[in-house]
Amino acid sequence: MSATTTREAETTRSRPPAPVRPRTFSRRQKIVITVVNLALFCVAWELVARLSGVPSLLVPTFSAVVGEFFAMRQEGILWANLWISLQIYLVGMALSILAAIPFGLLVGGIKILDRIVGPYVWALYTLPRLILMPLILLWVGINDTARVLLVVLSAGPAIIVVIMDAMKTIEPSLVRAARSFCAGRRQVFTHVALPSTVPYIATAVRMGVSRGLIGLFIGELFTAADGIGYVMVLAGRQFNSARVYFILLVFVAFSVALVGLTQWLEKKASIWRSA
Amino acid sequence: MEVMQGGTGSASPAIEARGVTVAYERARHKDTLVALQDFDLEIRSGEFVTVVGPSGCGKSTFLNVVAGLVPPARGEVFVEGKPVRGPGPERSVVFQDYALMPWRTVEGNVRFGLEMQRRVDRSTRERIARYIEMVGLTGFERAYPRELSGGMRQRVGLARALVTEPRILLMDEPLAAVDAMTRELMQDELSRIVAETGQAVLFITHSVDEAITLADRIAVVTNRPGRIKEIIPVPFQRPRGRDVRNLPDYIALRDRIWSLLEAERHTNRSQVEAGV
Ligand SMILES: Nc1ncnc2c1ncn2[C@@H]1O[C@H](COP(=O)(O)OP(=O)(O)OP(=O)(O)O)[C@@H](O)[C@H]1O
Ligand SMILES: [Mg+2]
């Protein structure tokens, strides 16, 4: 940008100068980049699988993996199992988000609670979810509740931890300004603490969304008799590697879509934060 | 322009500080830092007092005590005759660091104080527009603070404090970041409003000219721990124009304040050299 460009339109006479804008790709460019990227990846996969001589049990061809979509549909095990997994995931995430956000705000906002409850939340957050498996099986047995619980225990602590931290980043000078206009504790919470954590709440949800997916997957591996993860386990036992890869791709595509959605939410929630 | 009329008798001063001492606990240094010591100051109702003094001498600290945001370790501040126990709607603060809500637009920030004091009604929109115009930010109502220059942000802070039309204004270098031309305009505007409404003002500044142009009295503060070094009355009618700056009295006053500040600078240096 040249130094003479200015934002004030009224100072210009003839042609308005180009506005200063952070350099980003246009929507069209982004789509083109993504499509080309994906296409190259698929082609490369197909070629490597065909030409490298690696046994197809290890790396099936891309076309074989896509073929599994039709095979599974034919067998009638695709949509039903996807739907079950999706339901469990959505219920688990809804519960996590609804419980973890207020919990995180509360614990993060009240010093004494943070001291007492904080360490437990962090412990739960760092604990590998697999360790919880035997316990969950003991508590609720092998059923849908176990899977929902795993999603909640995976996503919940991640969301809480991010929000708890966000409550600590609140600018003291803003609290002071609010107090100078006679804001009480409640008003400071709703008009300073809450708005300044909103962008972090979006970040927290994004963290939770991907951790919840891991929880779902673990749940399906160990505690399920249906669901897309269970189908994957079966396929593995039958050495149907193309099917395993296909389901893996489904998981990846789903999580990429979710992360994209939450990133978009995050951006919407923090327009005031950065240019 | 209507201003809330004093509930308490106009006989008591707007602000009366007696022996105010403030010490900050400094956890990292494992000590306490005495910012103000036995600070006395009285501001009569309708009076404009400017405060000048070396950086770090405790001016902002004093303003925060009057605002009810920092409790003094010793001494007491009375506002309209009542001891300060916290902030009140009869006072408004302009903060040195602006302290604007980054998620609120200019309009939203100016509205903030009225919202906190639950004073939003049908006339609010028009009132906000009026003050935004006063600080010269018409056309930027929907801008977020990050989209404004430093001087513009500071003027939002000014409008936010003025819009609640308090009886007492506490202003911490409210024009420090504003460019020279706008600064003079704002000084005129502020003088006019304050004279019209009879607000009492505590106004911190580093500009000696600003201090003289605006004030009834100028309080010169010593080095930290801050105490009143001298209080100097300004002999010109208020509100006053810039033309007073050519009067011999003005120039004498200016020299006097400069030499007081200069003296503080020297004591500061000798303190440092003596390892105090
Ligand atoms: N929250 C705090 N904790 C510890 N020390 C503080 C705190 N606030 C201020 N101080 C110290 O108190 C002293 C006075 O600070 P204050 O902000 O009142 O100075 P000031 O006169 O307003 O300075 P300036 O003109 O630079 O704004 C300084 O030495 C500062 O380091
Ligand atoms: Mg200061």
Side-chain angles (χ1 to χ4, degrees), chain A:
Chain A
M1 272 309 129
S2 79
T4 52
T5 55
T6 166
R7 279 183 174 189
E8 253 115 326
E10 64 266 23
T11 62
T12 64
R13 301 239 168 67
S14 51
R15 214 149 53 89
V20 180
R21 225 185 255 133
R23 193 156 302 195
T24 50
F25 292 114
S26 74
R27 195 192 190 87
R28 188 111 143 264
Q29 283 169 317
K30 279 186 197 158
I31 292 174
V32 169
I33 290 171
T34 309
V35 168
V36 169
N37 189 9
L38 281 178
L40 281 177
F41 176 76
C42 299
V43 170
W45 183 348
E46 187 75 25
L47 287 179
V48 167
R50 276 183 197 282
L51 304 177
S52 68
V54 178
S56 67
L57 186 62
L58 297 184
V59 182
T61 62
F62 181 69
S63 47
V65 170
V66 173
E68 276 307 311
F69 170 76
F70 301 100
M72 284 176 69
R73 214 174 55 172
Q74 202 96 70
E75 291 172 46
I77 57 172
L78 180 63
W79 298 122
N81 284 306
L82 273 178
W83 175 232
I84 287 164
S85 299
L86 185 67
Q87 271 177 307
I88 288 183
Y89 180 71
L90 290 181
V91 169
M93 282 315 296
L95 286 176
S96 307
I97 290 171
L98 287 180
I101 291 176
F103 189 82
L105 289 172
L106 195 75
V107 172
I110 301 172
K111 279 204 181 68
I112 179 79
L113 272 184
D114 188 61
R115 272 239 154 267
I116 298 169
V117 187
Y120 295 103
V121 178
W122 276 102
L124 201 58
Y125 172 70
T126 25
L127 200 68
R129 251 112 295 273
L130 272 175
I131 293 175
L132 294 174
M133 280 305 311
L135 274 182
I136 290 174
L137 293 186
L138 271 178
W139 289 343
V140 296
I142 297 186
N143 52 32
D144 291 352
T145 318
R147 275 190 279 175
V148 171
L149 203 58
L150 257 167
V151 173
V152 172
L153 284 176
S154 302
I159 298 175
I160 296 173
V161 161
V162 174
I163 293 177
M164 266 166 47
D165 264 13
M167 288 295 281
K168 293 193 191 96
T169 64
I170 294 166
E171 189 59 53
S173 69
L174 299 185
V175 174
R176 182 173 276 209
R179 291 217 301 122
S180 82
F181 289 107
C182 311
R185 279 181 75 93
R186 277 260 296 283
Q187 283 174 306
V188 168
F189 179 79
T190 52
H191 288 97
V192 181
L194 212 52
S196 48
T197 45
V198 161
Y200 297 92
I201 291 177
T203 309
V205 169
R206 181 160 59 83
M207 297 276 296
V209 154
S210 51
R211 304 245 327 179
L213 205 60
I214 297 171
L216 174 73
F217 192 66
I218 295 172
E220 305 225 304
L221 289 187
F222 291 92
T223 71
D226 51 18
I228 201 70
Y230 177 70
V231 177
M232 188 181 190
V233 174
L234 280 189
R237 288 199 194 124
Q238 294 156 0
F239 302 105
N240 185 348
S241 65
R243 183 164 292 182
V244 173
Y245 271 85
F246 173 70
I247 295 173
L248 200 75
L249 281 189
V250 170
F251 264 104
V252 169
F254 185 59
S255 82
V256 166
L258 278 177
V259 167
L261 177 74
T262 47
Q263 268 172 346
W264 177 80
L265 273 178
E266 213 175 335
K267 222 164 93 188
K268 286 275 148 203
S270 55
I271 18 168
W272 51 268
R273 252 206 320 192
S274 57

Side-chain angles (χ1 to χ4, degrees), chain B residues 48 162 171 186-195 203:
Chain B
F48 202 127
L162 291 172
M171 314 181 108
M186 298 270 92
Q187 286 170 2
D188 291 349
E189 198 75 348
L190 193 64
S191 283
R192 189 183 57 74
I193 290 185
V194 164
F203 187 107

Side-chain angles (χ1 to χ4, degrees), chain B residues 56 59-61 96 172-173 204 206:
Chain B
K59 303 180 297 294
S60 298
T61 302
Q96 187 171 4
D172 198 347
E173 303 185 30
I204 298 171
H206 279 293

Side-chain angles (χ1 to χ4, degrees), chain B residues 24-37:
Chain B
Y24 290 108
E25 257 338 306
R26 296 198 307 172
R28 230 163 298 117
H29 296 77
K30 296 202 172 67
D31 65 1
T32 54
L33 180 141
V34 182
L36 280 179
Q37 184 125 42

